[in-house]
DNA sequence: AAACCCCTCAACCGCCTAAGG
DNA sequence: GCCTTAGGCGGTTGAGGGGTT
């Protein structure tokens, strides 16, 4: 009953991608968009399975990806979001538009886990909470259980943040900038083989193309959207469905607008307090499902208040980094 | 200089879900 | 309702590079 991996098909190539393959893939997506992965190997002649093509694109070639060191702010966000969401890297990555889920997962496994483990040896309560949440494993297919746990964890994390220092979110400055991807950390010191930089170039080329060709596939969507936001479209009406799509939480109705999903601006004036957020989270009936697909960098939904809170140094860096930076 | 160890991260694997027939 | 298939996700692996002995 075990289905053989698609890449086991005869003639399929495995292993690292060559620049030539990358160029082939990028040019194909440039021309056709990234909707139909199955067609990619056939139409390009690439001896790669569709999954491999998709992965290469989403994790490496896609424009808008930042590589290299994570900023302190990104690090804090990852820790915070991991506490809230568990190992749901795609969901976490949706809050860091320039990072891929794979990158975040790798960073967590190679850096943050260790950092937190160190902290655990101390008696820092906050670290204990974070640690426990990171250890928490989510059984496969047990969505409901996971959701319950997530709600619980989210409450804990919020309360924890409050206990460290309670910022006055309601009076938070309007116009929290999106500088959480701090340009100072520009990727270039990235691991940086010559080849890596060549793919960065490919990505840059694509960025320009993305701006100019918004009408791929006759008025549907940009390739970037088509690859990343298919779920968004599917989920946009999910609030009236009984069965949730895979993993995420969305906040319809009052919370939808409260958190800014319906807003067409990023005006911070529509704010909520942390208490409200905690109260909301404590009511399971308020939870529905939210698109976790990676937001298009160009059409990104304005930040919700909660997201803004996550991005604020006042909470995140003081609340979490403080314990990390020993 | 060589051997060894450790770390990073790109890529693969296996599973799940949704969609379509 | 069942079956098949594609897409997506999280866990894991292993090659390669860098550091240390």
């Amino acid at each position: 009953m075990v289905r053989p991996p698609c890449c086991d098909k005869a003639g399929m190539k495995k292993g690292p991608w060559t620049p030539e393959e990358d160029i082939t893939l990028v040019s194909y997506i440039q021309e056709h968009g990234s909707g139909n992965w199955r067609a990619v190997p056939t139409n390009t002649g690439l001896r790669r399975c569709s999954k491999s093509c998709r992965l290469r694109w989403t994790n490496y070639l896609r424009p808008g990806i930042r590589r290299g060191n994570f900023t302190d702010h990104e690090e804090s966000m990852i820790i915070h979001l991991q506490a809230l969401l568990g190992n749901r890297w795609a969901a976490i990555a949706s809050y860091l538009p320039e990072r891929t889920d794979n990158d975040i997962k790798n960073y967590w496994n190679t850096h943050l886990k260790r950092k937190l483990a160190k902290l655990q040896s101390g008696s820092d309560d906050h670290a204990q909470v974070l640690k426990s949440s990171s250890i928490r494993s989510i059984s496969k297919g047990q969505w409901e259980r996971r959701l319950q746990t997530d709600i619980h964890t989210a409450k804990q994390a919020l309360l924890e943040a409050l206990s460290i220092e309670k910022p006055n979110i309601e009076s938070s400055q309007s116009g929290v900038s999106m500088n959480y991807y701090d340009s100072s950390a520009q990727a270039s010191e990235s691991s940086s083989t010559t080849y890596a930089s060549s793919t960065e170039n490919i990505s840059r080329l694509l960025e320009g193309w993305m701006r100019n060709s918004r009408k791929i596939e006759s008025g549907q969507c940009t390739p970037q959207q088509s690859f990343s936001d298919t779920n968004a479209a599917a989920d946009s009406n999910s609030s009236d469905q009984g069965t949730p799509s895979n993993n995420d939480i969305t906040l319809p109705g009052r919370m939808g607008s409260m958190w800014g999903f319906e807003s067409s601006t990023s005006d911070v004036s529509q704010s909520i307090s942390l208490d409200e957020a905690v109260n909301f989270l404590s009511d399971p009936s308020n939870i529905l499902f939210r698109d976790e697909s990676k937001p298009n960098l160009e059409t990104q939904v304005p930040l919700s208040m909660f997201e803004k809170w996550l991005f604020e140094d006042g909470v995140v860096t003081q609340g979490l980094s403080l314990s990390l930076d020993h």
Side-chain angles (χ1 to χ4, degrees):
Chain A
M1 287 296 276
V2 177
R3 195 193 319 166
C6 61
C7 302
D8 279 358
K9 285 174 194 161
M12 284 300 178
K13 193 180 163 193
K14 287 191 196 176
W17 281 63
T18 64
E20 291 76 22
E21 287 175 313
D22 282 344
I23 289 167
T24 306
L25 179 60
V26 168
S27 354
Y28 176 82
I29 291 173
Q30 224 171 356
E31 206 175 328
H32 299 94
S34 54
N36 184 1
W37 291 108
R38 195 170 71 106
V40 174
T42 320
N43 296 343
T44 59
L46 281 170
R47 289 166 52 220
R48 297 280 184 172
C49 71
S50 56
K51 270 188 177 186
S52 185
C53 294
R54 183 178 61 82
L55 219 61
R56 183 64 181 171
W57 172 256
T58 55
N59 287 340
Y60 210 83
L61 299 174
R62 176 170 63 90
I65 292 178
R66 184 147 72 86
R67 314 197 67 77
N69 295 341
F70 280 69
T71 64
D72 289 346
H73 205 149
E74 287 174 320
E75 186 177 296
S76 300
M77 283 182 64
I78 292 167
I79 292 166
H80 209 117
L81 288 164
Q82 206 277 344
L84 288 166
L85 303 169
N87 292 354
R88 292 153 69 185
W89 307 116
I92 292 170
S94 71
Y95 290 86
L96 294 158
E98 294 188 317
R99 301 292 187 179
T100 68
D101 54 353
N102 210 34
D103 268 350
I104 293 170
K105 180 171 59 180
N106 281 334
Y107 190 66
W108 174 266
N109 287 330
T110 56
H111 293 88
L112 300 180
K113 241 180 174 176
R114 210 176 311 142
K115 259 187 178 177
L116 292 171
K118 267 188 198 170
L119 283 170
Q120 198 207 10
S121 61
S123 59
D124 184 86
D125 283 350
H126 194 84
Q128 298 281 4
V129 169
L130 292 171
K131 175 73 180 172
S132 68
S133 71
S134 70
I135 288 168
R136 177 172 52 89
S137 67
I138 299 165
S139 57
K140 293 175 184 173
Q142 304 282 329
W143 190 91
E144 292 86 353
R145 270 187 52 203
R146 187 165 64 180
L147 177 59
Q148 285 179 341
T149 316
D150 284 348
I151 293 164
H152 179 71
T153 312
K155 281 171 63 182
Q156 269 196 330
L158 280 165
L159 290 167
E160 201 61 37
L162 282 164
S163 73
I164 292 164
E165 177 179 342
K166 183 172 180 171
N168 189 353
I169 291 280
E170 291 188 90
S171 63
S172 64
Q173 65 282 34
S174 60
V176 175
S177 68
M178 288 286 287
N179 65 350
Y180 57 93
Y181 27 150
D182 178 6
S183 59
S184 67
Q186 224 20 338
S188 8
E189 54 219 290
S190 72
S191 47
S192 60
T193 58
T194 49
Y195 177 50
S197 54
S198 80
T199 57
E200 280 173 25
N201 292 340
I202 293 170
S203 289
R204 282 200 199 95
L205 285 171
L206 267 173
E207 280 176 39
W209 161 70
M210 285 298 190
R211 261 181 243 115
N212 295 330
S213 63
R214 290 193 147 268
K215 286 191 290 183
I216 296 272
E217 293 174 5
S218 65
Q220 288 185 0
C221 57
T222 68
Q224 192 176 9
Q225 285 172 314
S226 65
F227 96 84
S228 68
D229 288 348
T230 48
N231 285 350
D235 287 355
S236 63
N237 57 356
S238 64
S239 60
D240 57 356
Q241 293 172 348
T243 317
S245 71
N246 203 4
N247 322 354
D248 231 304
I249 300 169
T250 207
L251 302 164
R254 67 186 172 95
M255 245 353 228
S257 56
M258 181 185 279
W259 288 34
F261 295 132
E262 294 171 356
S263 169
S264 59
T265 75
S266 55
D267 183 6
V268 188
S269 61
Q270 27 167 260
S271 60
I272 62 168
S273 68
L274 284 171
D275 290 335
E276 284 175 309
V278 171
N279 287 337
F280 180 82
L281 286 165
S282 51
D283 180 359
S285 67
N286 284 326
I287 303 296
L288 280 175
F289 304 92
R290 182 189 165 203
D291 159 46
E292 72 184 25
S293 65
K294 199 162 245 328
N296 186 315
L297 289 175
E298 295 170 12
T299 59
Q300 198 170 348
V301 186
L303 290 177
S304 70
M305 290 314 304
F306 187 61
E307 288 161 332
K308 286 181 166 57
W309 170 67
L310 280 170
F311 296 149
E312 277 180 24
D313 280 328
V315 173
V316 176
T317 55
Q318 288 178 27
L320 295 163
S321 291
L322 112 161
S323 50
L324 288 175
D325 298 338
H326 1 279

